[in-house]
Amino acid sequence: MIFGIPVYPGSNCDKDIGWIIEEVIHEKAKYLWHEDSNLNDIDCIIIPGGFSYGDYLRTGAMAKLSPISEAIYDFAEKGGLVMGICNGFQILLEMGLLPGAMLPNKNLSFICKFVHLKIENNSTPFSNLYEKEEVIYIPIAHAEGNYTCDRETLKEIEENNQVIVRYCSPEGIIDEKFNPNGSVNNIAGICNKKGNVFGLMPHPERASENILGSTNGLTMFKSILEIATGKA
Amino acid sequence: MATYNVKVFISYRKGILDPQGVAVEKAAYSLGFNKVKEVRVGKYITMKIEAEREEEIKKEIEEMAKKFLVNPVIEEYSYKIEVAK
């Protein structure tokens, strides 16, 4: 399986994802410069975190104009698997592949810490190897992760089970107390209606080896492998 | 062809919590500016555009706003056009 990792000026988690793909799940990683537009042999796109274009104008706003983003848009529209992590999630929102938008964290701070997440939907290509309602432990690192959308959109994504992960307590209780950034309904990650595009603020690639303190994130990469090849 | 000065003002839509606005308002209070209300922090973008008529400029700005300058999920905008001296 070949994972395509777009690299924008300012991306800084591309190599971390490449490491997990190549050294941990032993698949192929192909780095795609933002000026590229050829996704011919790619099976799944993972848009990395970082600060594409210095977060100028809005997070992800400039990145959506890159040639690679246009190619990713077409790839996703045709049903290709696309996952966006942190800034990757912000880019997917700006591209319009996922509904809603990001605001600065409620407390205005850059928050870098491990959080607990509840798996709300385990029937997507990105979450199929998790148990339903499983609580996982994965770090966040962002200043703009305060997810928002209008009421109608919120109703729609909740009803369609598009919320994949929510911030929660270690026991799985979903409450404002365990919401690190002010996101509406404690939302940490959502997918599109078709389920082939997924964005989340937490960093699964930073929780995919024992040395990193958690391997809960690895299941996300393995879920993709399972759906694409059946060999996870 | 005339050169126009364009000023674009972008802020969060009404009903969207603006954490920076809240922080600035609290700071104003703490300094004794007690009459201050509803502080919003936004962006101010200036540019020059060449065109025959003002109508063309409007079209151009609105197109830019739609394509990338403004995110309508959270932001609203207004603009001013002046003929450059």
Side-chain angles (χ1 to χ4, degrees), chain A residues 57-58 64 94 103-104, chain B residues 12 43 67-69 71 74:
Chain A
L57 198 60
R58 294 178 306 280
K64 79 166 170 186
E94 281 286 339
L103 292 168
Chain B
Y12 287 125
K43 293 180 195 117
K67 283 198 169 151
F68 81 111
L69 278 186
N71 183 337
I74 48 173

Side-chain angles (χ1 to χ4, degrees), chain B residues 29-46:
Chain B
Y29 264 74
S30 73
L31 290 171
F33 298 100
N34 301 326
K35 291 172 196 157
V36 175
K37 282 197 289 196
E38 293 177 34
V39 177
R40 310 289 276 176
V41 176
K43 293 180 195 117
Y44 169 47
I45 301 171
T46 63

Side-chain angles (χ1 to χ4, degrees), chain A residues 6-54:
Chain A
V7 182
Y8 299 92
S11 295
N12 63 13
C13 300
D14 42 316
K15 290 278 164 60
D16 304 44
I17 295 165
W19 173 270
I20 300 303
I21 301 300
E22 292 180 324
E23 304 296 329
V24 183
I25 64 169
H26 306 294
E27 295 294 326
K28 269 192 188 161
K30 191 172 171 184
Y31 296 98
L32 307 160
W33 186 231
H34 69 116
E35 287 169 335
D36 292 348
S37 55
N38 182 357
L39 303 183
N40 282 346
D41 50 356
I42 303 298
D43 300 303
C44 173
I45 289 282
I46 302 185
I47 310 178
F51 302 86
S52 57
Y53 296 89

Side-chain angles (χ1 to χ4, degrees), chain B residues 41-71:
Chain B
V41 176
K43 293 180 195 117
Y44 169 47
I45 301 171
T46 63
M47 61 184 86
K48 287 186 194 295
I49 305 181
E50 282 193 350
E52 296 285 355
R53 293 181 305 125
E54 207 175 302
E55 277 308 305
E56 291 171 36
I57 306 274
K58 283 186 182 171
K59 214 177 136 196
E60 190 120 328
I61 299 166
E62 283 165 23
E63 193 81 355
M64 266 194 285
K66 198 172 151 194
K67 283 198 169 151
F68 81 111
L69 278 186
V70 178
N71 183 337

Side-chain angles (χ1 to χ4, degrees), chain A residues 144-159:
Chain A
E144 304 216 2
N146 181 355
Y147 177 79
T148 190
C149 61
D150 60 50
R151 254 185 232 165
E152 230 167 84
T153 307
L154 185 62
K155 190 167 171 260
E156 200 178 303
I157 61 175
E158 290 288 0
E159 282 175 4

